[in-house]
Amino acid sequence: MKMKNVVLTVLLMATMQVANAQDGKIKTIDIKTTISCDHCTKCESCDRNIFDRVKTNTKGVRSIKVNAEKNIITVKYNSEKTTLEDIEKAITMAGYQANDRQPTAEAYNQLDGCCKKK
């Protein structure tokens, strides 16, 4: 019986170490952007555009939150599967600024009129 308890304890400890190691891979970053309209997080066109582009074009993205009032996109991601640069590129491909990176002209031109700088 004692041997069974020792084996179970070792397995439990190993599982906890793996879980803790994976937590270290998960990072959260705030990316500065410029959102020109006042309804982007309510508008399916804008919010979905950012979410879909970032989520589908970068592996390892866990969640995306857009704060239009503060002009910040918060991304939670697995740092072993993607990088800040990849995430920034996906945001610019959606037509928005990502930190110092400007959106591509093609992506920006595809935004709804209300989402473009006035």
Side-chain angles (χ1 to χ4, degrees):
M1 190 71 164
K2 277 189 170 184
M3 185 60 138
K4 185 177 178 182
N5 287 341
V6 170
V7 170
L8 286 174
T9 302
V10 170
L11 285 174
L12 179 62
M13 290 174 64
T15 303
M16 289 174 58
Q17 285 181 329
V18 169
N20 286 337
Q22 290 208 356
D23 285 346
K25 300 176 198 175
I26 305 303
K27 299 192 184 281
T28 302
I29 54 169
D30 287 334
I31 297 173
K32 294 177 190 170
T33 191
T34 302
I35 297 175
S36 299
C37 67
D38 61 355
H39 66 279
C40 278
T41 56
K42 297 175 187 104
C43 173
E44 285 192 28
S45 168
C46 305
D47 196 40
R48 286 267 41 63
N49 181 28
I50 294 170
F51 180 82
D52 289 345
R53 290 289 180 130
V54 174
K55 191 81 168 153
T56 58
N57 290 326
T58 51
K59 293 181 179 183
V61 171
R62 299 278 179 102
S63 67
I64 302 158
K65 292 181 183 169
V66 178
N67 185 328
E69 290 178 14
K70 293 183 178 179
N71 284 313
I72 292 176
I73 301 171
T74 302
V75 182
K76 186 175 183 179
Y77 68 102
N78 182 328
S79 63
E80 290 189 353
K81 294 185 178 183
T82 195
T83 64
L84 170 60
E85 185 176 279
D86 292 336
I87 295 167
E88 287 176 336
K89 183 177 177 184
I91 293 170
T92 63
M93 297 293 289
Y96 296 91
Q97 176 185 338
N99 291 326
D100 294 332
R101 297 178 88 152
Q102 296 302 313
T104 65
E106 182 181 346
Y108 180 77
N109 289 332
Q110 290 180 6
L111 291 175
D112 290 345
C114 62
C115 295
K116 295 179 182 174
K117 294 177 187 173
K118 298 178 175 46

